[in-house]
Amino acid sequence: MEKLKYERPIINKIKAGVPDKYGMSTRVQIKTDIEGIPVKDIVNQYGSPVFVLSEKTIRETYQEAHRAFQSRYPKVQFAWSYKTNYLDAVCQIFHDEGSWAEVVSGFEYDKAIENGVPGNKIIFNGPDKSDADLKKAVENGSFIHIDHFDELYSLMRIVKKIGKKAKVAIRVNMDTGVYPKWDRFGFNYENGEAWNAINRIMLTENMDLVGLHTHIGTYMMTTNAYTVAAGKLADLAVKTAQKYKHHIKYIDMGGGFASKNTLKGAYLPGKDTCPSFDDYAEAITSALINSEIDPEHLPVLFLETGRALIDDAGYLIGSVLANKRLSNARRATIIDIGVNILFTSFWYEHEIYPGQACSQQTEDTTIYGPLCMNIDVIRESIQFPLLQKNDLVVIPRVGAYNMTQWMQFITLRPNVVLIDREQNLHLIRKKETNEIFKNQEIVPKHLKNKKT
Ligand SMILES: *Cc1c(COP(=O)(O)O)cnc(C)c1O
């Protein structure tokens, strides 16, 4: 029989049968496998830490979201928000499901083209589009969402020069009752800027105003903000139709749906408070069909949902490096997952599960990452069992924004693997190496080979 692991005795207040703020406490939950594949095997094969994505969850989540909108509105088109997770394998899954691409830079635009997305299925957002980017987008027939007047004027010059019609929309920002307001992107609705931009575009030859766009925020907890926003875009579409007999072809409601992660400082867990796709769909589609838009010219509804479509599909597996007692006798566990690869730990209280059977005795613990930096805290305070060095931990719901916002800081970025629908593992992004960073650097001749 294996020798039992020594656990240092501690004094704990007995809380059995006493509810905490989430209700009755339950047994320590563990996560030993992801879709039937033992986390131990994944780490043995791909190292620790390692990101794992589930193709099945991505597809099922997409289909659930699509169904919620399609069943309430006749014409719906999703466009995958590249910045949320632009690993090519991930983008390909969304494109395979029927999603177009939504990009916010020249880099992302080229990525979408390389992923085989036809130019006329790319939505080009964001405040930073170079003249070369704009020209390429016009030539490819992409949908250009104009962010500010300077961009509008650049585009006017470009279309005049190349003599090709641009398909454009404007991004509109507005008061939706959610504060702070996101008014730095696009043209404001309330002060008349949006209407002004529409009039300028309508009077420009070689510009076809095909859509109206808004992206009101991210992790929006209230569906009412979408009702307000869709209503305001519908008003602009109606005004445009009245004045110019010109019908807007699509209304793009952007992204921003909340995922099931729990925000820092939230009283209840995110999975209990986040609205469902049906809730969001009900709010948006009701506002559109109840508007004054002529039903003969009902616009296509575009959605650029990012976070809510991919968060649940991502896991991060890591291992314990050490345990220690802080000066105030508090227990601290150090793991090999730092804020450099788990960027969302700045906003979320990520759940963390032991990756193997463990003691049921928990203690209020701080979980630190491996960086030599005070801010490298994954969880400030969590009821956690004592794990030993090399024990595994699993952090669920990390699919959104981590694999794009991660930083090469102190450590290199780890492997990313995908579990396909037949439970095969595929390496979809290789762990970085010193070689990669060396290739980018140039040491001036006079500093080379110095003896120290
Ligand atoms: C980031 C972004 C999205 C996706 O937002 P989520 O909050 O992840 O759904 C959609 N549209 C635009 C313009 C964006 O910048």
Side-chain angles (χ1 to χ4, degrees):
M1 203 183 103
E2 205 185 334
K3 190 164 168 261
L4 289 177
K5 281 180 182 149
Y6 172 75
E7 255 184 58
R8 190 169 171 273
I10 49 160
I11 297 172
N12 235 348
K13 196 159 107 188
I14 293 177
K15 292 187 304 186
V18 181
D20 67 6
K21 69 178 180 180
Y22 301 135
M24 298 293 278
S25 56
T26 47
R27 287 176 65 83
V28 175
Q29 277 190 55
I30 59 173
K31 184 136 186 78
T32 55
D33 72 275
I34 297 171
E35 287 181 7
I37 305 183
V39 292
K40 193 158 61 68
D41 293 357
I42 301 176
V43 166
N44 285 342
Q45 208 175 338
Y46 296 101
S48 171
V50 56
F51 277 99
V52 182
L53 284 158
S54 157
E55 179 174 350
K56 182 165 166 273
T57 307
I58 296 176
R59 289 186 187 271
E60 286 175 359
T61 311
Y62 175 84
Q63 287 159 11
E64 187 192 332
H66 191 261
R67 201 179 311 119
F69 283 89
Q70 189 76 56
S71 59
R72 291 177 168 85
Y73 195 81
K75 295 178 276 184
V76 177
Q77 179 62 54
F78 278 79
W80 174 238
S81 157
Y82 263 46
K83 77 169 189 292
T84 309
N85 188 322
Y86 45 55
L87 295 181
D88 289 335
V90 168
C91 297
Q92 295 295 7
I93 296 171
F94 282 106
H95 298 323
D96 186 48
E97 288 289 333
S99 247
W100 293 6
E102 185 275 324
V103 302
V104 291
S105 69
F107 159 71
E108 289 187 4
Y109 187 92
D110 291 344
K111 223 173 189 315
I113 294 281
E114 276 160 29
N115 279 333
V117 183
N120 64 0
K121 292 185 174 175
I122 300 178
I123 295 171
F124 200 172
N125 279 314
D128 174 18
K129 308 178 191 83
S130 69
D131 281 5
D133 293 336
L134 289 170
K135 187 161 168 275
K136 199 179 335 180
V138 176
E139 279 164 353
N140 289 338
S142 305
F143 297 97
I144 303 170
H145 288 187
I146 301 169
D147 187 79
H148 43 73
F149 281 112
D150 284 312
E151 186 170 277
L152 176 58
Y153 301 144
S154 299
L155 192 57
M156 281 175 175
R157 275 197 308 275
I158 288 164
V159 289
K160 198 162 170 199
K161 205 158 126 205
I162 64 177
K164 190 165 186 244
K165 220 173 172 102
K167 288 191 283 179
V168 304
I170 56 162
R171 177 162 176 172
V172 180
N173 70 65
M174 60 192 74
D175 187 350
T176 59
V178 172
Y179 308 101
K181 269 190 288 189
W182 271 27
D183 61 1
R184 57 168 287 188
F185 302 110
F187 302 91
N188 186 252
Y189 175 85
E190 284 81 17
N191 71 7
E193 248 201 1
W195 181 235
N196 186 264
I198 288 173
N199 285 307
R200 283 181 196 283
I201 292 168
M202 289 307 300
L203 298 173
T204 305
E205 230 184 303
N206 281 334
M207 269 197 204
D208 187 8
L209 183 71
V210 287
L212 294 170
H213 171 240
T214 190
H215 172 60
I216 56 177
T218 193
Y219 203 99
M220 305 296 288
M221 302 278 284
T222 153
T223 58
N224 188 55
Y226 286 97
T227 308
V228 175
K232 287 182 176 174
L233 290 191
D235 283 349
L236 289 174
V238 169
K239 264 170 91 173
T240 309
Q242 279 168 353
K243 183 164 170 183
Y244 297 99
K245 308 273 173 292
H246 174 87
H247 302 287
I248 297 294
K249 292 202 179 62
Y250 67 86
I251 283 191
D252 182 343
M253 292 303 297
F257 303 161
S259 78
K260 299 192 191 78
N261 263 306
T262 305
L263 284 181
K264 287 200 164 165
Y267 188 65
L268 291 166
K271 50 181 182 268
D272 296 339
T273 54
C274 121
S276 65
F277 288 123
D278 285 304
D279 297 334
Y280 289 114
E282 189 64 30
I284 292 172
T285 60
S286 299
L288 291 181
I289 59 176
N290 295 340
S291 75
E292 295 301 311
I293 293 180
D294 176 1
E296 293 282 303
H297 298 281
L298 204 61
V300 181
L301 170 58
F302 280 14
L303 295 149
E304 306 169 345
T305 314
R307 187 189 303 280
L309 286 183
I310 185 91
D311 227 8
D312 279 3
Y315 299 84
L316 186 49
I317 310 174
S319 29
V320 172
L321 300 174
N323 289 296
K324 59 166 69 172
R325 287 276 160 199
L326 303 177
S327 60
N328 59 1
R330 189 181 172 72
R331 186 207 281 165
T333 295
I334 307 165
I335 60 175
D336 61 358
I337 294 169
V339 293
N340 56 327
I341 60 166
L342 189 62
F343 199 83
T344 51
S345 57
F346 289 124
W347 330 115
Y348 293 146
E349 301 280 22
H350 277 291
E351 289 167 17
I352 305 183
Y353 298 113
Q356 55 283 301
C358 65
S359 149
Q360 287 298 314
Q361 181 173 302
T362 62
E363 191 182 335
D364 192 13
T365 305
T366 300
I367 298 190
Y368 291 114
L371 306 179
C372 207
M373 278 256 301
N374 203 36
I375 60 158
D376 193 24
V377 184
I378 300 299
R379 284 297 298 269
E380 199 71 58
S381 164
I382 181 175
Q383 281 294 328
F384 208 65
L386 178 69
L387 301 190
Q388 306 290 338
K389 182 175 164 65
N390 295 328
D391 277 353
L392 299 178
V393 292
V394 181
I395 304 184
R397 294 199 184 98
V398 299
Y401 294 104
N402 286 304
M403 283 154 259
T404 46
Q405 284 187 291
W406 50 4
M407 283 179 275
Q408 191 277 304
F409 178 60
I410 302 184
T411 62
L412 297 171
R413 283 170 277 221
N415 281 323
V416 182
V417 298
L418 178 80
I419 305 177
D420 71 17
R421 286 170 293 176
E422 278 80 47
Q423 289 181 305
N424 301 306
L425 282 176
H426 304 266
L427 181 63
I428 60 167
R429 192 180 193 275
K430 286 185 281 189
K431 181 177 165 165
E432 290 169 350
T433 59
N434 282 19
E435 201 57 34
I436 290 173
F437 291 92
K438 242 178 125 160
N439 279 342
Q440 296 306 108
E441 294 198 32
I442 302 156
V443 179
K445 214 170 192 165
H446 72 283
L447 296 175
K448 266 188 188 155
N449 299 322
K450 287 260 176 187
K451 300 237 160 39
T452 45

